Amino acid sequence: MNPPGRVLVRAGDRGILPGELANRDPAVFPDPDRLDLTRAARHHQAFGGGPHHCVGRPLARLGLQVVLPVLFRRIPALRPAEELDRIPFNYDALIDGLHALPVTW
C-alpha cells in the first residue's frame, strides 16, 4: 500500500501531469497560491525542461532583461493599480497566468 498522497508508477505506466500542478509544492514554494513577485523561486518549471523545453524561453528572458528595465526607467512610478492579492489569476487555461495586470503611475 502506498503512503497517502503517493502513487506507485510502474515501468510502462502512462500518465498526464497537468501544467497547473507545477510549482505547487509548499515544501519548495512557500504559500504557492499567493502571487509574490519578489519570490526567490529558483527551481520552478515555468518553461519546462529537456525535450519539452519551451522554445519561447529565450524571448521571455530577453523581455525580462531588456524591456522591463527600460519600461521602469521611462516610467519610474509604474506600479500595480490594485493590491496583488486582488488581481485575478487565470487557472483555467493551458498555461496559467494573469487575466490582466492593471497598472498606474
Side-chain angles (χ1 to χ4, degrees), residues 4-90:
R6 299 192 180 242
V7 175
L8 176 63
V9 179
R10 292 186 169 88
D13 285 354
R14 294 180 181 206
I16 297 174
L17 298 174
E20 60 268 16
L21 297 179
N23 308 324
R24 289 287 200 252
D25 184 351
V28 179
F29 306 100
D31 200 5
D33 292 325
R34 183 175 55 85
L35 176 61
D36 182 356
L37 300 178
T38 63
R39 188 185 315 264
R42 296 270 185 239
H43 302 288
H44 60 78
Q45 296 297 312
F47 295 104
H52 303 287
H53 188 80
C54 178
V55 296
R57 181 180 179 178
L59 181 59
R61 179 172 282 157
L62 182 64
L64 292 172
Q65 292 174 342
V66 176
V67 175
L68 290 178
V70 170
L71 179 65
F72 291 126
R73 201 167 40 249
R74 290 188 177 187
I75 311 172
L78 187 67
R79 64 188 186 282
E82 296 185 29
E83 294 295 322
L84 294 180
D85 60 352
R86 294 181 48 103
I87 297 174
F89 203 80
N90 183 14

